[in-house]
Amino acid sequence: RRAFFPGMLEASRQQQKMASRIRLLSRPVSRAWFSSTPAKVSEGAALKHRPLMPMDGTYPLIANDSWVAPSATVVGDVELHDGSQVWYNAVVRGDCAKVQVGFGAVLGDRVTVTTAKTLESGFPATCQIYPKAVVGSGSALRSCIVQAGALIGENCVLGEGSLVEAGAVVGAGSVVPPGRRVPAGEHWAGNPVSKVGAADPALHAAALKAQSDAKDAHADEFLPVNTAFWSK
């Protein structure tokens, strides 16, 4: 029978080889990841995540006491100033224009910061997050400005060219359309945002303190070598 179906047998062998490779690649990360010798992809190893990456020869500038979570991603023309925080699974991309995160500013879990190459208004397409601004988890910012002491709630969207002035509050789940301005010291919310009332400074102070306390605890655990050996 083999003589009659040489093409079919060869196809079957190729399918078996492919299935074997898929099984290998679908395995969990092997112990080879922690080995002193390089691991081959065929052994099921995965590439290690890199929190900081260059883009077109431009490297991120990171202050010594800033906090970048091990699962965050900071790419390209990005400046993280003293005490700034980029939390787990957050993405900060300075691939089209510069991103600046000021002193003590906070980018919560899963926050995405991106930039456009140009804005229709003609203003710079950079994204600027001023000192001690707090951006809540899951929010998306694109080529916008968040001034000092502003509070952006969770899961907000700030469109291109939008401006949130100092001390303003944007409620959770709100959408700030492109080019929209949220005045200083006011609380805006909704989709699209509209004025709700005066901002309560206590909201920003509480959010900033909670993130700063958590940052200190997490940063102490993020050592060059893990602490699993302590339990043995």
Side-chain angles (χ1 to χ4, degrees):
R1 292 183 179 178
R2 292 184 179 179
F4 290 105
F5 306 105
M8 184 178 296
L9 287 173
E10 183 61 22
S12 176
R13 292 192 188 100
Q14 294 297 329
Q15 290 175 353
Q16 291 175 0
K17 289 181 180 179
M18 182 61 68
S20 177
R21 291 173 182 173
I22 292 174
R23 285 195 297 272
L24 284 171
L25 292 174
S26 62
R27 290 177 182 174
V29 177
S30 67
R31 286 181 295 177
W33 207 23
F34 306 97
S35 173
S36 59
T37 57
K40 298 180 180 179
V41 173
S42 59
E43 295 174 354
L47 295 177
K48 187 176 180 181
H49 173 72
R50 293 194 297 165
L52 306 178
M53 295 174 56
M55 176 62 64
D56 295 330
T58 302
Y59 287 77
L61 294 176
I62 311 298
N64 290 333
D65 60 348
S66 62
W67 157 244
V68 178
S71 62
T73 303
V74 181
V75 181
D77 193 2
V78 178
E79 295 180 1
L80 299 182
H81 290 250
D82 297 334
S84 56
Q85 307 172 34
V86 181
W87 281 84
Y88 298 100
N89 296 326
V91 177
V92 184
R93 287 173 44 190
D95 49 354
C96 294
K98 179 187 286 291
V99 177
Q100 295 175 305
V101 182
F103 165 78
V106 177
L107 303 181
D109 300 324
R110 307 182 313 282
V111 167
T112 59
V113 179
T114 59
T115 54
K117 291 185 178 180
T118 59
L119 296 180
E120 293 183 359
S121 62
F123 287 102
T126 58
C127 188
Q128 297 176 325
I129 301 166
Y130 282 46
K132 296 190 176 180
V134 178
V135 181
S137 301
S139 294
L141 286 64
R142 183 169 176 82
S143 292
C144 60
I145 297 176
V146 180
Q147 291 188 345
L151 172 62
I152 309 300
E154 296 182 354
N155 301 311
C156 290
V157 176
L158 274 63
E160 297 178 5
S162 60
L163 168 63
V164 179
E165 293 186 346
V169 174
V170 177
S174 298
V175 176
V176 182
R180 184 67 58 87
R181 167 178 165 264
V182 177
E186 295 185 1
H187 186 166
W188 287 44
N191 180 11
V193 290
S194 59
K195 184 176 179 179
V196 174
D200 182 1
L203 293 176
H204 172 268
L208 184 63
K209 184 179 186 306
Q211 290 287 354
S212 297
D213 291 346
K215 172 246 183 182
D216 293 338
H218 284 254
D220 287 343
E221 296 296 332
F222 185 46
L223 302 175
V225 179
N226 67 48
T227 57
F229 64 91
W230 286 350
S231 60
K232 294 183 180 180

